[in-house]
Amino acid sequence: MKKLIAIITVFFGTTIMASASNADDIVGIWLSASGEGKIQIYKEGDRYFGKLYWMKEPNGPKGNPKLDNNNPDPALRNKPLLGLVILKNFRYDDGEWSGGLIYDPKNGKEYKSYIKLKDPQTLSLRGYIGISLLGRTELWKRAG
C-alpha cells in the first residue's frame, strides 16, 4: 500500500510540475497555424509582444514587400507586414498570458486575446470579440 501511495504521489507531482509554466516560456519563434508566417514573441518590461518575423511570401507580385493594406488606419497601410507587431501587451498570470490584443493583417481587425502553453512546443491562442465564447483558437508550433 505504501508503494502505491508513493507511486501515485510521484506521478501527480510530476504531472503538476510538467503543467506549470514559467512566464518566459512563450518567448521565441512560433510557426502560425497556417504555416504562412513565423512570429517572434519577446518581452518588454513585464509584457509580451509578437512581431511577424518571417513570411512564406514576403513580397507581392511586383517584388515589393507585402504591405498592411487592410489596416483600418490609412496612414498605416504603407507599412510592410514583415516586422509588424501583431501581439500586444500580454501579461502573465497563473499559467496564462492575457489582457493583450492580436491583430489579423488579413482583415485588418484587432481582437482581445489570451495565450496558453499546451506543451513546450505548442501555443494555444484565442482571439475573440466581447466574450471569449465568440472567437477562434489557433495552435502555433515552436519554430526555433
Side-chain angles (χ1 to χ4, degrees):
M1 185 67 171
K2 287 183 182 181
K3 282 185 179 181
L4 180 61
I5 292 172
I7 290 170
I8 291 171
T9 303
V10 169
F11 174 76
F12 283 112
T14 305
T15 303
I16 290 168
M17 292 292 284
S19 66
S21 57
N22 180 343
D24 290 346
D25 286 350
I26 64 169
V27 172
I29 298 175
W30 298 87
L31 181 64
S32 67
S34 68
E36 295 176 2
K38 291 181 182 176
I39 296 81
Q40 180 182 22
I41 297 181
Y42 57 96
K43 185 177 182 179
E44 284 186 9
D46 65 342
R47 297 183 188 215
Y48 295 85
F49 297 82
K51 65 181 174 183
L52 196 52
Y53 174 80
W54 172 89
M55 294 172 56
K56 191 173 191 174
E57 296 178 27
N59 297 320
K62 296 181 181 177
N64 295 323
K66 286 188 177 179
L67 303 177
D68 191 12
N69 294 323
N70 296 317
N71 196 304
D73 182 347
L76 298 176
R77 291 182 186 154
N78 63 350
K79 290 185 81 170
L81 286 177
L82 201 58
L84 186 69
V85 176
I86 63 168
L87 299 174
K88 299 175 187 171
N89 292 317
F90 286 85
R91 289 188 199 172
Y92 179 77
D93 184 31
D94 196 26
E96 181 177 285
W97 294 262
S98 60
L101 299 171
I102 186 167
Y103 175 70
D104 184 350
K106 289 184 178 179
N107 64 19
K109 294 184 180 177
E110 204 167 51
Y111 303 94
K112 292 179 182 178
S113 183
Y114 63 85
I115 303 169
K116 291 183 179 182
L117 199 61
K118 279 189 78 156
D119 61 57
Q121 302 301 315
T122 311
L123 278 184
S124 173
L125 292 93
R126 178 94 178 148
Y128 58 93
I129 299 172
I131 60 171
S132 177
L133 209 62
L134 304 173
R136 181 178 86 207
T137 300
E138 284 193 357
L139 298 178
W140 291 0
K141 294 290 184 181
R142 191 175 293 276

